[in-house]
Structure formats: C-alpha cells, structure tokens
C-alpha cells in the first residue's frame, strides 16, 4: 500500500470551475509542476479572464522569453507577491524551489490560490483602471482585452472549494523571538551544517573552486580536441564492454545522480534553517 499523499486532486478541483481549454491538469504534471506548465496555466487564465495580465511585466508574458532561471524566479515572485496582497495571505512557497521542482505540495497550494484569485484579480484590475496613476505605480498596464468576467455560478463553485492554509502547521517557520528558542535553533542549525560538511567530505567530490587558469590555453585545448574529433586518425571500434558490465555502469551512474539530488535537497533544508536565523 502506497504512503503517497494526494496533494494534487484539490488543485484539479480548484480549476474545474474555470474550464480552461489548456493545459490539462494531470496528476503526473501536478506531482512535480514544471515552470512551463505553470506559465501556461496563467496564460490560459488571462486568455479567458484577463485576470493577471495587468501585473505581469510585458517581457515575461511570452514563455519563450522567460528562458533563464532568473527570469523564471522573477515571474513567480511577481505572481506570489500579488496573490499574497490580493488574498491577504502569506504563502509559504519559494520561487527557487518551484523552478527546481522541489516542494510540489507547496506549489500546488500556490496554484489553488491562483485559481481562487481570478475574480478578485479582475476586480483589482478594474479598480486600477479607474485609477490610472495607481495602476502605473504598482504594475505594468496591459493592452489586452478585458476578458470574460467570472460569473456568479463560477464564483459560487469556487467558494465551495476550501482553500488550504497558506502555511500548514507542520511547515510554519519557527518563532525566534524567544532567546532560548533562538539559541536552541542556532545550535541545531550549526550542528546540522557541520554534520552535512562531514558527510560531503566522505564523498569523492572536488567541491573546491578551481585555481585560475589560462583562458587562452583552455581555448586552444578545446579547439585542438574539436579538430581531433572532427578528423579522427584512427578507426573507432564498438565498445567491447559486456552488456552486463554496461548495465552495471549505468546503474551506478543513476545511483550517483540520486545521491547528488538527495544531497542538494539536504543542502536546501540546511540553508533554510540558517537563513531563518538571520531573517
């Protein structure tokens, strides 16, 4: 029996009243929502309801232009901050984690608030249009049509969908105002960081910065290797490695990838604890 927690069905239910033509909200995509998938959801919301286009910068509305990690984080940060202000909540979601595919449960909560906020966003957009000076100071204006207004039946259906807590009890940040709590948290965070450093030292990884290199020499080396590959002097032969040995090598490589991912997740958790001490 699987212990997997279903955190995606509520998201699917939240979007049913909107009847978006695309993208299809499937459990597979919602279990680890990719950025392009989230961007497509917002684009289709705006295509039908023109709800969020007034606060998204023009250069971030085309997914083809949002082609770097920095731009993706900027796009998500803009949306999250707007939803927080619009819905009077404080979503416990990190744009960096969304881009890297971590914490999909929190990403789904964000998507549910995004769906629930469509009608409120339309009202906010209308209010900003009535006060142009405020609209220009807060967000970039949109030249797109007004879109379809949320109907009363759609709003009633959305109202029947109970939104989750933006910060679940198990995920609430520690209150560090108490000196004793702060000291205990500090010791625990430093201890975790020390143990993690010891763990890393046990792996055969070169994590130290490289020494300064001669850029010209590096370039000449790359050109030389390219020429050798383009004009091989010897005839290449198929690998003589037995299939069993090849499968073993591939399995080891996959295990290494899993190990590195686990280390990255652990590293993110330690960084969050350390950041909480100084925030």
């Amino acid at each position: 029996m699987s212990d997997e927690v279903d955190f995606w069905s509520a998201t699917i239910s939240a979007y049913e009243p909107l009847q978006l033509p695309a993208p299809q909200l499937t459990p597979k995509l919602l279990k680890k929502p990719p950025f392009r998938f989230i961007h497509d959801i917002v684009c289709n919301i705006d295509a039908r309801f023109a709800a969020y286009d007034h606060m998204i910068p023009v250069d971030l509305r085309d997914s083809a232009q949002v082609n770097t990690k920095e731009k993706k984080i900027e796009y998500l940060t803009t949306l999250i901050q707007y939803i927080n202000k619009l819905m009077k909540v404080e979503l416990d979601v990190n744009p960096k984690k969304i881009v890297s595919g971590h914490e999909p449960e929190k990403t789904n909560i964000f998507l549910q608030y995004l769906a629930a906020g469509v009608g409120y966003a339309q009202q906010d957009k209308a209010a900003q249009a009535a006060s142009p000076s405020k609209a220009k100071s807060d967000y970039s204006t949109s030249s797109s049509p007004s879109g379809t207004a949320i109907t009363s039946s759609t709003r009633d259906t959305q109202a029947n969908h109970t939104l989750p807590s933006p910060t679940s009890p198990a995920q609430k940040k520690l209150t560090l105002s108490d000196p004793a709590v702060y000291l205990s948290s500090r010791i625990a965070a430093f201890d975790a960081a020390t143990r993690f450093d010891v763990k890393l030292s046990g792996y055969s990884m070169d994590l130290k910065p490289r020494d300064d290199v001669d850029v010209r020499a590096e370039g000449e080396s790359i050109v030389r290797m390219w020429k050798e590959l383009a004009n091989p002097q010897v005839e290449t032969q198929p690998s003589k490695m037995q299939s069993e040995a090849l499968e073993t090598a591939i399995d080891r490589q996959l295990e290494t990838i899993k190990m590195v991912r686990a280390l990255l997740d652990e590293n993110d958790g330690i960084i969050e604890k350390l950041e909480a001490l100084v925030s």
Side-chain angles (χ1 to χ4, degrees), residues 54-180:
H54 64 295
M55 42 69 59
I56 298 176
V58 177
D59 59 332
L60 297 180
R61 295 176 193 169
D62 182 0
S63 60
Q65 300 299 320
V66 191
N67 51 12
T68 65
K69 183 177 181 180
E70 291 73 19
K71 288 184 178 181
K72 293 176 182 179
I73 292 174
E74 179 187 354
Y75 178 88
L76 292 169
T77 300
T78 301
L79 272 176
I80 292 169
Q81 290 178 347
Y82 182 68
I83 291 296
N84 284 341
K85 177 182 177 182
L86 189 70
M87 306 291 286
K88 295 180 174 58
V89 295
E90 192 64 36
L91 292 173
D92 181 19
V93 60
N94 188 329
K96 295 180 182 179
K97 295 292 183 67
I98 296 178
V99 173
S100 61
H102 296 150
E103 300 181 345
E105 301 90 344
K106 295 182 180 181
T107 303
N108 272 258
I109 292 176
F110 160 63
L111 289 174
Q112 291 171 43
Y113 274 86
L114 194 68
V118 171
Y120 297 102
Q122 287 181 327
Q123 295 174 11
D124 180 64
K125 182 178 181 179
Q128 290 191 27
S131 178
S133 59
K134 182 179 184 299
K136 289 181 180 179
S137 63
D138 287 349
Y139 304 101
S140 59
T141 57
S142 170
S143 58
S144 60
S146 59
T148 304
I150 286 285
T151 63
S152 58
S153 60
T154 300
R155 190 177 292 108
D156 291 342
T157 305
Q158 285 185 306
N160 292 330
H161 175 76
T162 303
L163 286 170
S165 169
T167 307
S168 61
Q171 297 169 339
K172 285 186 178 179
K173 296 181 180 179
L174 292 174
T175 301
L176 302 178
S177 56
D178 186 342

Side-chain angles (χ1 to χ4, degrees), residues 2-278:
S2 176
D3 294 330
E4 188 175 28
V5 177
D6 180 355
F7 53 80
W8 52 87
S9 292
T11 307
I12 295 174
S13 298
Y15 280 86
E16 286 176 350
L18 300 181
Q19 299 181 352
L20 299 180
Q24 185 177 3
L25 275 68
T26 63
K28 181 179 180 180
L29 286 169
L30 291 171
K31 285 181 181 180
K32 191 175 182 180
F35 173 81
R36 177 61 184 272
F37 172 65
I38 297 173
H39 196 284
D40 286 348
I41 289 176
V42 178
C43 286
N44 277 274
I45 287 176
D46 286 337
R48 184 164 190 219
F49 301 106
Y52 297 112
D53 54 357
H54 64 295
M55 42 69 59
I56 298 176
V58 177
D59 59 332
L60 297 180
R61 295 176 193 169
D62 182 0
S63 60
Q65 300 299 320
V66 191
N67 51 12
T68 65
K69 183 177 181 180
E70 291 73 19
K71 288 184 178 181
K72 293 176 182 179
I73 292 174
E74 179 187 354
Y75 178 88
L76 292 169
T77 300
T78 301
L79 272 176
I80 292 169
Q81 290 178 347
Y82 182 68
I83 291 296
N84 284 341
K85 177 182 177 182
L86 189 70
M87 306 291 286
K88 295 180 174 58
V89 295
E90 192 64 36
L91 292 173
D92 181 19
V93 60
N94 188 329
K96 295 180 182 179
K97 295 292 183 67
I98 296 178
V99 173
S100 61
H102 296 150
E103 300 181 345
E105 301 90 344
K106 295 182 180 181
T107 303
N108 272 258
I109 292 176
F110 160 63
L111 289 174
Q112 291 171 43
Y113 274 86
L114 194 68
V118 171
Y120 297 102
Q122 287 181 327
Q123 295 174 11
D124 180 64
K125 182 178 181 179
Q128 290 191 27
S131 178
S133 59
K134 182 179 184 299
K136 289 181 180 179
S137 63
D138 287 349
Y139 304 101
S140 59
T141 57
S142 170
S143 58
S144 60
S146 59
T148 304
I150 286 285
T151 63
S152 58
S153 60
T154 300
R155 190 177 292 108
D156 291 342
T157 305
Q158 285 185 306
N160 292 330
H161 175 76
T162 303
L163 286 170
S165 169
T167 307
S168 61
Q171 297 169 339
K172 285 186 178 179
K173 296 181 180 179
L174 292 174
T175 301
L176 302 178
S177 56
D178 186 342
V181 174
Y182 176 82
L183 180 60
S184 175
S185 300
R186 178 180 176 180
I187 294 174
F190 286 170
D191 184 54
T194 301
R195 290 199 307 271
F196 184 66
D197 184 62
V198 172
K199 179 189 290 188
L200 285 181
S201 65
Y203 293 103
S204 300
M205 296 181 180
D206 182 11
L207 301 177
K208 297 181 180 179
R210 293 183 59 190
D211 296 331
D212 292 338
V213 296
D214 187 335
V215 177
R216 183 182 182 86
E218 285 285 302
E220 291 176 349
S221 174
I222 293 173
V223 172
R224 185 167 56 254
M225 287 189 293
W226 170 257
K227 289 181 178 179
E228 290 175 355
L229 289 172
N231 302 287
Q233 301 299 317
V234 295
E235 184 178 353
T236 58
Q237 298 291 335
S239 173
K240 296 181 180 180
M241 182 181 292
Q242 296 182 356
S243 59
E244 293 82 358
L246 183 59
E247 290 177 0
T248 300
I250 293 174
D251 289 340
R252 288 178 178 174
Q253 188 67 19
L254 291 174
E255 288 299 322
T256 300
I257 293 173
K258 291 180 181 178
M259 178 193 71
V260 172
R261 285 179 177 172
L263 289 173
L264 288 173
D265 289 340
E266 186 175 353
N267 179 67
D268 288 341
I270 292 173
I271 290 176
E272 284 186 355
K273 292 179 181 178
L274 294 173
E275 287 178 342
L277 295 174
V278 297

